[in-house]
């Protein structure tokens, strides 16, 4: 085999086909013999390194290697020829090539043994990864600047990247993280189940919060625990699959929430006591004004009758307000633990309780199959009853039609209660959920204006949100979210 036209040449047609294939390969190709002499290059190698091929043929392969790596390179070549097999070169190390002008270029190299007429050679396929390196550097800059702790793990749950915030949050130096299992940051009582959670995520990799509906904790180096929120993002890289966890220490938020809960509990207790203690004197006022109206109607004069009627109406309205205020305070103070509940069965009980109202209004309640949810059954009953009763109360000229549906939305169930009633202007969409808010003049519709405030309180106690969409004259849809029953394996009716 001799050198001609920039490479090994023979009269063998197979050699010609080999050279044609090598020339067409989109990667740089360099063939090196046992003496580390370059025997063949292709056009992409010329472009990558900036040499004409006649400058490379016969030259030592170290010509293409930065000076700081040249001394150790012969040993790597000898190791390959001692155990010739197709493999990646420098796995786990950063590799660089040197161009003719002295510039360095980050590269990846795949090595394959090739039998030639001149003996065993190494075929090196070389890829310029400059753009990939730049993207990686930008990624690392973003990760480093993140105000959240960022930790990247590989498919074996080993930590491969952390940022400064992770060091601060967990108390480890960066070198102490790398290569360690992610379970080092998980409290002992949760470690056994953690690989299963990782496997579940890997089976359905998509950006999402981790542990939705569960309390999560991180373990610091000093053994202390902290409540955390974690967002997970899958990343497919050329060298495998990774997961980036964005971690937030929510210690201060939890403290603020605890203080707010205590404050709310105190307010609830005050509201409960006040409204409960007001019932008896109000009952007395209402009873005696009723007696006045019955016994002395027409015995004094028309003005006195009117005053007594006003007093009686006011006492009854105040009784309703106090009763509703008591119901509002009980949402938090007397709520029961959340348990798996069949929403279908609760709806059946609600429609049964509203039979008289439905019959008098000619109303109909329709429903899709409803799911099992994690709820306080009594409060779910109250929530659905308030919403359906509202839909019937604020009806148009047509008989009321109420439809209840539910569908999965992320990690929660989205319920919707739609009606064909009078609707509201959307500028009042938030106001309707506030205490004692009425959009109509007093006396036109019964009620204290607390029903939707109670509904909001119930939904929020279940960790959900509630809102309304409406078109005046066409009806309204009240939407709210509830957690799925914890015994469920998936969101399904």
């Amino acid at each position: 085999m001799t050198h001609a036209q920039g490479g090994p040449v023979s009269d063998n047609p197979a050699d010609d086909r080999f050279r044609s294939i090598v020339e067409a390969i989109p990667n740089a190709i360099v063939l090196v013999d046992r003496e580390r002499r370059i025997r063949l290059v292709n056009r992409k190698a010329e472009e990558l390194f900036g040499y004409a091929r006649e400058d490379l043929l016969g030259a030592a392969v170290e010509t293409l290697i930065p000076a700081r790596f040249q001394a150790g390179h012969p040993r790597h070549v000898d190791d390959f020829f001692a155990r010739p097999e197709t493999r990646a070169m420098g796995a786990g190390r950063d590799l660089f090539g040197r161009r003719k002008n002295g510039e360095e270029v980050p590269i990846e190299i795949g090595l394959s043994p090739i039998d030639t007429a001149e003996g065993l050679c190494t075929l090196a396929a070389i890829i310029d990864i400059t753009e990939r390196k730049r993207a990686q550097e930008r990624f690392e800059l973003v990760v480093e600047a993140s105000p959240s702790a960022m930790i990247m793990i590989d498919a074996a749950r080993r930590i491969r990247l952390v940022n400064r915030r992770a060091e601060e949050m967990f108390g480890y130096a960066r070198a102490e993280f790398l290569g360690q299992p992610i379970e080092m940051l998980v409290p002992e009582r949760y470690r056994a189940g953690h690989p299963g959670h990782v496997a579940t995520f890997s089976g359905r990799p998509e950006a999402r919060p981790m542990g939705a509906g569960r309390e999560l904790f991180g373990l610091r180096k000093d053994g202390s625990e902290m409540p955390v929120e974690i967002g997970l993002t899958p990343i497919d890289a050329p060298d495998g699959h990774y997961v980036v966890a964005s971690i937030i220490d929510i210690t201060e938020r939890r403290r603020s929430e605890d203080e707010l809960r205590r404050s709310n509990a105190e307010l609830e207790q005050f509201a409960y006591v006040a409204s409960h203690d007001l019932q008896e004197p109000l009952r007395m006022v209402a009873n005696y004004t009723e007696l006045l109206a019955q016994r002395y109607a027409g015995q004094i004069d028309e003005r006195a009758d009117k005053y007594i009627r006003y007093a009686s109406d006011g006492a009854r309205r105040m009784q309703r307000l106090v009763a509703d205020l008591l119901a509002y305070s009980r949402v938090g103070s007397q709520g029961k633990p959340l348990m798996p509940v069949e929403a279908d069965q609760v709806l059946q009980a609600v429609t049964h309780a509203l039979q008289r109202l439905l019959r008098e209004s000619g109303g109909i309640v329709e429903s899709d199959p409803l799911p099992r949810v994690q709820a306080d059954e009594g409060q779910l009953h109250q929530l659905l009853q308030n919403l359906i009763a509202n839909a019937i109360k604020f009806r148009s000229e047509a008989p009321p039609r109420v439809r209840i549906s539910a569908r999965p939305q992320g990690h929660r169930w989205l319920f919707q209660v739609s009606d064909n009633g009078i609707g509201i202007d959307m500028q009042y969409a938030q106001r309707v959920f506030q205490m004692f808010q009425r959009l109509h003049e007093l006396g036109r519709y019964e009620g204290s204006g607390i029903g939707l405030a109670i509904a909001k309180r119930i939904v929020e106690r279940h960790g959900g949100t509630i809102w309304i969409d409406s078109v005046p004259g066409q009806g309204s849809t009240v939407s709210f979210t509830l957690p799925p029953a914890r015994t469920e394996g998936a969101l399904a009716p």
Side-chain angles (χ1 to χ4, degrees):
M1 187 176 289
T2 60
H3 297 144
Q5 298 180 352
V9 177
S10 77
D11 294 330
N12 188 340
D15 288 341
D16 294 334
R17 287 195 296 272
F18 174 73
R19 288 197 305 276
S20 297
I21 291 170
V22 167
E23 197 64 29
I25 290 174
N27 301 331
I29 299 293
V30 177
L31 187 69
V32 180
D33 63 19
R34 284 182 179 271
E35 285 71 41
R36 308 191 314 281
R37 297 290 171 181
I38 299 173
R39 295 301 178 184
L40 178 146
V41 296
N42 67 352
R43 178 180 53 79
K44 289 297 291 184
E46 292 181 286
E47 294 174 0
L48 175 58
F49 292 102
Y51 289 93
R53 69 182 67 192
E54 56 266 22
D55 295 332
L56 292 175
L57 296 174
V61 70
E62 283 78 18
T63 303
L64 306 179
I65 297 172
R68 65 185 189 280
F69 299 124
Q70 288 180 2
H73 190 259
R75 179 174 55 82
H76 296 310
V77 175
D78 291 343
D79 288 346
F80 178 81
F81 279 105
R83 189 168 53 90
E85 59 185 9
T86 299
R87 62 179 184 266
M89 178 180 176
R93 295 187 290 118
D94 287 334
L95 300 180
F96 295 88
R98 185 181 67 177
R99 294 191 173 102
K100 184 177 181 179
N101 63 6
E103 291 180 357
E104 294 188 8
V105 55
I107 56 176
E108 280 187 357
I109 304 178
L111 302 178
S112 299
I114 298 287
D115 284 319
T116 72
E118 297 178 340
L120 185 66
C121 291
T122 302
L123 186 71
I126 306 169
I127 302 173
D128 178 356
I129 60 170
T130 301
E131 288 305 315
R132 188 197 304 170
K133 280 284 186 180
R134 286 174 182 165
Q136 180 180 342
E137 288 169 0
R138 288 193 293 267
F139 170 75
E140 290 177 355
L141 283 172
V142 170
V143 168
E144 194 63 26
S146 172
S148 304
M150 305 291 285
I151 298 177
M152 185 169 76
I153 64 170
D154 61 20
R157 306 192 314 280
R158 298 280 173 179
I159 299 171
R160 296 303 176 192
L161 179 148
V162 297
N163 68 350
R164 176 185 53 78
R165 184 70 185 108
E167 294 180 280
E168 296 171 352
M169 185 180 296
F170 289 96
Y172 289 95
R174 194 163 307 208
E176 295 178 285
F177 281 104
L178 301 180
Q180 298 302 312
I182 188 64
E183 282 77 22
M184 70 182 288
L185 306 178
V186 177
E188 184 70 33
R189 64 187 183 280
Y190 299 123
R191 285 183 187 171
H194 191 261
H197 296 310
V198 176
T200 299
F201 178 83
S202 299
R204 187 166 57 91
E206 58 184 20
R208 63 177 185 264
M210 177 181 176
R214 294 187 292 117
E215 289 189 333
L216 301 179
F217 295 88
L219 181 67
R220 297 187 182 95
K221 184 178 180 179
D222 63 9
S224 62
E225 294 185 11
M226 59 184 162
V228 295
E229 280 187 357
I230 304 178
L232 301 178
T233 302
I235 294 180
D236 286 324
D239 57 344
H241 302 289
Y242 296 88
V243 175
V244 174
S246 174
I247 307 170
I248 301 172
D249 179 354
I250 59 171
T251 301
E252 288 304 317
R253 187 200 305 174
R254 282 286 174 83
R255 186 176 293 118
S256 297
E257 289 174 350
D258 289 342
E259 290 175 357
L260 182 60
R261 273 193 291 270
R262 283 195 296 270
S263 176
N264 285 340
E266 291 170 359
L267 288 172
E268 286 170 5
Q269 184 63 20
F270 171 78
Y272 176 79
V273 171
S275 54
H276 183 272
D277 291 350
L278 280 172
Q279 284 187 314
E280 183 56 33
L282 273 174
R283 189 179 299 113
M284 185 178 296
V285 171
N287 288 343
Y288 278 103
T289 52
E290 289 289 345
L291 286 173
L292 280 172
Q294 293 171 13
R295 183 166 301 180
Y296 297 102
Q299 295 188 29
I300 305 175
D301 58 25
E302 186 176 340
R303 180 175 295 179
D305 290 344
K306 183 169 64 175
Y307 290 165
I308 292 173
R309 187 168 63 253
Y310 287 163
S312 181
D313 290 343
R316 284 196 299 270
R317 285 202 308 273
M318 182 59 76
Q319 281 184 305
R320 284 197 298 269
L321 282 171
V322 169
D324 287 344
L325 181 60
L326 190 59
Y328 183 84
S329 68
R330 282 172 173 163
V331 171
S333 63
Q334 298 189 16
K336 295 180 180 178
L338 306 189
M339 304 287 288
V341 173
E342 296 287 351
D344 266 326
Q345 295 179 8
V346 175
L347 179 61
Q348 290 175 16
V350 169
T351 53
H352 179 74
L354 294 175
Q355 275 302 307
R356 184 181 62 80
L357 187 59
L358 288 168
R359 188 167 53 251
E360 291 174 354
S361 64
I364 294 177
V365 176
E366 301 171 325
S367 172
D368 294 341
L370 300 181
R372 297 178 77 223
V373 293
Q374 196 77 6
D376 177 332
E377 185 170 351
Q379 290 187 351
L380 180 58
H381 185 288
Q382 187 177 12
L383 170 64
L384 292 175
Q385 181 164 314
N386 282 7
L387 295 179
I388 294 172
N390 249 28
I392 297 171
K393 181 196 301 184
F394 297 105
R395 60 183 180 270
S396 61
E397 296 297 326
R401 297 290 184 269
V402 185
R403 181 170 188 81
I404 296 93
S405 62
R407 59 181 172 83
Q409 185 183 68
H411 298 277
R412 307 189 75 78
W413 282 103
L414 172 64
F415 284 75
Q416 293 186 306
V417 179
S418 302
D419 64 53
N420 62 339
I422 60 173
I424 65 166
D425 191 315
M426 284 300 290
Q427 67 176 308
Y428 304 118
Q430 294 301 315
R431 181 178 160 186
V432 295
F433 293 105
Q434 297 174 11
M435 291 280 286
F436 306 120
Q437 292 296 312
R438 304 178 62 94
L439 302 185
H440 308 280
E441 65 271 17
L442 191 64
R444 183 175 177 185
Y445 295 100
E446 291 185 1
S448 60
I450 299 181
L452 287 180
I454 292 174
K456 182 174 185 287
R457 189 74 181 280
I458 291 172
V459 171
E460 289 178 345
R461 184 190 171 230
H462 288 69
T465 54
I466 187 169
W467 66 96
I468 188 169
D469 296 289
S470 185
V471 177
Q474 297 184 28
S476 302
T477 296
V478 176
S479 304
F480 59 92
T481 58
L482 293 176
R486 289 177 185 165
T487 55
E488 291 184 1
L491 290 176

